[in-house]
Amino acid sequence: MRPAPHHPRVLGGLLAVALTSWTACGPLTPVEEESPRQESQSALTASDCFDWPMAGVQGSETVPGYNVRVMQNYANRGGASWYNNRAHSGVDLALNSGSTAGAPVYAVADGVVRCVVNANYPGWVVVIEHTLGTGAKVYTQYGHMNAPTVATGATVTRGQQIATILNQSTNSHLHFEVRDWLYWGGVTSNCYGPGYAEGTYQPEQQGWRDPIDYYYQHRPAFPALAVSDISQAVRSAPNRSASTLTTIPAGTRLTVDSVMPAQDGQDDWWYRVQYDGVNWGYMAGYWDTGWGGDLYMTEPRRSCTSSFNGSEVQETASSVPASLAPSATASVTVRVKNTGTTTWKKSSLHRLGALASNSISWVAFSSCGGYANSATDARVELCNDVAPGATHDFTFSVRAPSSGSSTTLAVQMVQDGVQWFGEQQSWNISVSGTTSVPAQVTGMSPDGYANMGSGSVTLSWNPSSGATSYEVYMQYWTGTQWVYYNTFTTTTTSLTMTPTVRSSTYTYTVKAKNSAGQAPQSAWAYFQYQ
């Protein structure tokens, strides 16, 4: 790589560029700096939302920026023998692996094609006009291409293929610009410009913008998923010298909630990532190498106006005991508010999940469902859809450990297979005293000689405080007498079984048990079986 100085892109934490006043005919003179654009979780208008113009296949999906590198950075100057030391007005992009020549080129945002010309750049040039939510216009230029598949005046959408890259042997690349003008120097036949700023001007002084910075400040709204193109370290801060928390293999998809310039003076960009489903660190998105750079982490394409998950645990409206006796069980209710724009659905696998710091056992769930494979692998299902702004009460039972002075209930919302999201909440529960015999079981169902048909039958009952297991004793009626059928043991408050004696009446009773003993048996409950 050419060891030329690279233009510093970052001021005050975000892009601050000296723009030019301009007309449709091109740049005039430098004007005041634009106010930095702040990141937001709110949905962007489609034309505010930008992708990379090249992409790679990750798994079965074409991901913008994946397998893409920057051959030459914005504002590079290469000395007198390199375009008279003029500053590069865009970035040159190529693939890391595979053939760059013939690779697809995509529109980075919704817009209207304003120019299609064979400019001997070499190759064809396309310029697209994008109208932002503020009404301002910005233009993107794509150069060194084969004949495009779009025409002047055509409307294009983000991610639409517009051409392929021209074969320039070992120098095949896409020259990509972001700028504030359509025609160079007032010449309507020249929409493509010189590719380099004039004289000693910096490109931004003549109406260009740094495409790397522009992408990171106009990408789709957070939170998002991002995929690492390489095996790379997760760091404790957004800089190269920060301590390593762990290493993530190439191809891993992670939840990200923000992106920011490096804190160490490098021209890098860093994502804040949730690297183990719970904890957060930083991974490089763009890694500057001087003359060029690498896209180490990229985001699969999604709707600019797509909904995002968000949640807030309403602690004061939740019900969690402050203390429990050893091995005692208790019912807890965690109320969570949907603060995102996605409706939570059981079918979409939105659930309340146990965090890695959870140490109390989740032992029984309502009829809405749930599971507990371990203290840190447990879920409570939704009972109904939860619209944005609404709340949901997750009610389930927990059991204290048999020893120790305290235990922790730690929860967060999760969309399994997609992301953990929203506020994490934990409660410290003291464990003290002696274990009492559990209370008598109530709330038996089915009961009242309910007709249960001929398939499997699920018996259920209310949780008994302090119970660690339940014994279910069952009999059936022969027509003249009650006969013992079976005894079952379960650690949950339900039992599914299929009776083998048909056309009969069954009765059952349940005893709650723990290390201190067993409760009196429940009242008998009855059901009919066909």
Side-chain angles (χ1 to χ4, degrees):
M1 292 181 298
R2 183 179 296 272
H6 177 55
H7 172 62
R9 297 191 299 269
V10 180
L11 287 176
L14 285 174
L15 179 66
V17 228
L19 300 177
T20 68
S21 59
W22 58 276
T23 69
C25 295
L28 297 177
T29 56
V31 294
E32 294 300 315
E33 291 183 347
E34 177 186 47
S35 298
R37 182 183 188 276
Q38 302 296 326
E39 284 290 352
S40 170
Q41 281 195 334
S42 61
L44 303 175
T45 63
S47 57
D48 276 343
C49 175
F50 283 67
D51 279 344
W52 298 108
M54 294 180 65
V57 176
Q58 198 274 325
S60 60
E61 184 177 0
T62 300
V63 177
Y66 190 79
N67 190 38
V68 175
R69 62 189 173 93
V70 178
M71 285 178 58
Q72 183 182 183
N73 268 316
Y74 173 78
N76 279 358
R77 295 180 188 270
S81 62
W82 186 264
Y83 295 94
N84 295 318
N85 202 35
R86 291 156 60 193
H88 194 218
S89 60
V91 291
D92 292 343
L93 302 175
L95 296 180
N96 276 311
S97 62
S99 176
T100 297
V105 178
Y106 304 95
V108 296
D110 293 358
V112 178
V113 178
R114 292 303 184 199
C115 178
V116 176
V117 59
N118 186 354
N120 193 27
Y121 212 62
W124 287 75
V125 171
V126 171
V127 177
I128 300 175
E129 178 185 274
H130 312 277
T131 302
L132 306 181
T134 61
K137 296 183 185 298
V138 69
Y139 297 86
T140 53
Q141 175 176 311
Y142 313 76
H144 304 315
M145 300 188 300
N146 297 310
T149 57
V150 294
T152 300
T155 298
V156 294
T157 57
R158 182 172 64 103
Q160 177 180 336
Q161 183 175 338
I162 60 172
T164 58
I165 294 177
L166 181 71
N167 187 348
Q168 297 189 75
S169 186
T170 58
N171 192 40
S172 299
H173 65 272
L174 175 72
H175 176 81
F176 176 65
E177 296 180 0
V178 181
R179 65 193 193 214
D180 297 318
W181 48 268
L182 175 55
Y183 299 118
W184 174 253
V187 180
T188 57
S189 62
N190 186 349
C191 64
Y192 44 87
Y196 289 81
E198 294 181 306
T200 60
Y201 280 114
Q202 291 288 16
E204 58 265 32
Q205 292 178 292
Q206 295 195 297
W208 281 284
R209 304 191 185 200
D210 185 331
I212 303 293
D213 287 347
Y214 198 85
Y215 165 77
Y216 285 114
Q217 294 180 0
H218 294 80
R219 41 159 306 290
F222 288 109
L225 289 178
V227 57
S228 182
D229 196 3
I230 63 165
S231 176
Q232 66 162 309
V234 179
R235 300 190 181 275
S236 59
N239 64 73
R240 301 184 183 190
S241 60
S243 59
T244 297
L245 302 175
T246 188
T247 299
I248 299 297
T252 303
R253 296 194 177 200
L254 300 170
T255 298
V256 296
D257 72 351
S258 57
V259 66
M260 63 212 68
Q263 294 179 347
D264 55 3
Q266 299 287 343
D267 283 341
D268 305 331
W269 282 86
W270 293 78
Y271 284 100
R272 183 174 182 261
V273 305
Q274 192 172 42
Y275 59 88
D276 61 358
V278 179
N279 296 301
W280 294 83
Y282 298 89
M283 293 175 66
Y286 177 70
W287 189 275
D288 180 70
T289 58
W291 188 254
D294 292 294
L295 299 178
Y296 280 167
M297 188 166 239
T298 53
E299 300 174 40
R301 185 175 287 119
R302 63 189 190 282
S303 170
C304 294
T305 56
S306 62
S307 298
F308 62 87
N309 286 317
S311 68
E312 174 187 271
V313 178
Q314 299 191 330
E315 187 176 2
T316 57
S318 300
S319 176
V320 178
S323 63
L324 286 172
S327 302
T329 61
S331 176
V332 300
T333 298
V334 177
R335 178 170 294 179
V336 186
K337 182 178 181 179
N338 184 344
T339 59
T341 58
T342 299
T343 296
W344 301 344
K345 295 177 178 290
K346 190 170 186 175
S347 60
S348 300
L349 304 183
H350 288 91
R351 298 162 168 160
L352 186 72
L355 292 172
S357 55
N358 183 80
S359 59
I360 196 168
S361 298
W362 300 12
V363 294
F365 306 92
S366 71
S367 59
C368 304
Y371 69 84
N373 294 324
S374 67
T376 57
D377 181 15
R379 301 286 190 273
V380 186
E381 301 280 1
L382 291 169
C383 294
N384 51 265
D385 292 352
V386 184
T391 62
H392 187 79
D393 287 348
F394 293 92
T395 299
F396 55 105
S397 293
V398 296
R399 183 173 65 238
S402 59
S403 61
S405 60
S406 66
T407 187
T408 300
L409 173 64
V411 301
Q412 186 183 16
M413 287 298 298
V414 59
Q415 185 178 8
D416 278 314
V418 179
Q419 62 180 164
W420 291 80
F421 63 91
E423 180 187 12
Q424 300 179 10
Q425 180 64 48
S426 62
W427 290 266
N428 186 67
I429 303 170
S430 66
V431 179
S432 61
T434 58
T435 302
S436 301
V437 172
Q440 186 179 32
V441 169
T442 61
M444 314 282 285
S445 177
D447 195 8
Y449 296 93
N451 191 330
M452 301 307 295
S454 59
S456 63
V457 176
T458 297
L459 314 178
S460 64
W461 50 91
N462 294 333
S464 172
S465 177
T468 57
S469 65
Y470 298 91
E471 181 183 275
V472 183
Y473 180 88
M474 184 175 291
Q475 301 180 110
Y476 68 96
W477 181 249
T478 65
T480 58
Q481 62 180 342
W482 291 104
V483 175
Y484 171 75
Y485 178 73
N486 208 341
T487 300
F488 306 91
T489 299
T490 178
T491 59
T492 68
T493 56
S494 66
L495 172 70
T496 299
M497 46 83 69
T498 302
T500 57
V501 180
R502 308 181 70 85
S503 301
S504 184
T505 298
Y506 283 80
T507 185
Y508 66 101
T509 183
V510 180
K511 290 181 181 179
K513 296 183 174 184
N514 64 17
S515 59
Q518 62 184 28
Q521 70 181 38
S522 68
W524 289 93
Y526 301 83
F527 65 89
Q528 303 283 346
Y529 189 72
Q530 301 302 315

